[in-house]
């Protein structure tokens, strides 16, 4: 079963049925990121082959997007700390290791999965707002976007990491 993608392994305990795809995607992100970054050196973390975004950026951005979308899903504004994090995404920092960024991402995903267990499926169509412009969306829209946007960046991270080998 370990060779199967997460979504093929069955339901995640405690997650409402309608949110299983979000949980599966977030868990797949965690696994894929570990696979594609375990061979990277700290020097490679901020390398931008062919002008592509660095692996460091993708790792920070995936964590940040998940955090921000789940904050909006809770109907809350972003904190100053979240804005600071957003502004630091992708800025080279030689004191950060690939392993620490992966660990941060795993922790963010763990927290997000816990939040999914608390969501009442009857509220998924409720209106929520995105960003300071308060763009209207729904709870399920924010949760889905967190997962699909994270997976999109894993694909980009994979290409960048392969260019570094």
């Amino acid at each position: 079963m370990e060779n199967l993608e997460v979504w093929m392994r069955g339901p995640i305990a405690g997650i409402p049925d309608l949110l299983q795809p979000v949980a599966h995607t977030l868990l797949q992100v965690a696994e894929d990121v570990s696979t594609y970054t375990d061979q990277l050196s700290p020097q490679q973390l901020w390398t931008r082959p062919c002008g592509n975004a660095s692996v460091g950026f993708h790792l920070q951005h995936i964590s940040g997007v998940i955090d921000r979308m789940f904050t909006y899903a809770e109907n809350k504004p972003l904190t100053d700390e979240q804005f600071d994090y957003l502004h630091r995404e992708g800025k080279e920092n030689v004191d950060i290791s690939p392993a620490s960024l992966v660990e941060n991402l795993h922790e963010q995903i763990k927290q997000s999965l816990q939040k999914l267990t608390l969501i009442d499926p009857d509220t998924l169509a409720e209106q929520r707002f995105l960003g300071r412009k308060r763009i209207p969306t729904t709870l399920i829209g924010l949760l889905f976007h967190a997962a699909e946007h994270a997976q999109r960046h894993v694909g980009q991270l994979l290409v960048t990491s392969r260019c570094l080998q």
Side-chain angles (χ1 to χ4, degrees):
M1 289 280 283
E2 286 185 31
N3 291 336
L4 296 176
E5 291 185 9
V6 175
W7 71 273
M8 299 169 85
R9 297 179 203 158
I12 308 301
I15 306 289
D17 290 343
L18 291 173
L19 295 174
Q20 288 290 322
V22 173
H24 286 139
T25 301
L26 292 175
L27 288 170
Q28 190 69 55
V29 164
E31 287 185 15
D32 289 347
V33 160
S34 293
T35 300
Y36 302 138
T37 60
D38 66 355
Q39 78 288 355
L40 292 180
S41 70
Q43 296 78 21
Q44 292 172 312
L45 188 61
W46 303 106
T47 301
R48 299 184 64 210
C50 302
N52 291 321
S54 69
V55 169
F57 164 76
H58 290 299
L59 290 171
Q60 290 175 325
H61 186 65
I62 293 167
S63 291
V65 163
I66 294 169
D67 180 43
R68 292 187 291 273
M69 293 306 108
F70 273 75
T71 297
Y72 293 137
E74 294 173 333
N75 236 352
K76 296 178 181 175
L78 298 185
T79 64
D80 289 341
E81 182 180 88
Q82 287 170 306
F83 281 115
D84 289 343
Y85 184 90
L86 175 62
H87 295 302
R88 287 191 316 270
E89 284 179 12
K91 292 190 175 148
E92 184 172 344
N93 182 341
V94 295
D95 296 327
I96 297 176
S97 70
S100 68
L101 288 179
V102 170
E103 187 178 315
N104 271 359
L105 176 56
H106 285 185
E107 183 58 33
Q108 183 62 56
I109 289 171
K110 180 181 169 185
Q111 291 173 16
S112 299
L113 293 172
Q114 181 59 39
K115 290 176 181 181
L116 289 177
T117 68
L118 304 174
I119 294 174
D120 176 355
D122 291 337
T123 66
L124 293 174
E126 286 182 1
Q127 187 173 47
R128 295 290 188 271
F129 298 94
L130 175 67
R132 289 184 251 192
K133 293 183 180 180
R134 297 192 41 86
I135 299 166
T137 186
T138 60
L139 173 56
I140 189 67
L142 289 165
L143 299 173
F144 177 79
H145 181 69
E148 68 86 18
H149 193 84
Q151 190 63 53
R152 182 183 329 159
H153 278 274
V154 169
Q156 294 172 19
L157 180 149
L158 163 63
V159 171
T160 301
S161 103
R162 284 194 176 155
C163 289
L164 297 171
Q165 296 176 10

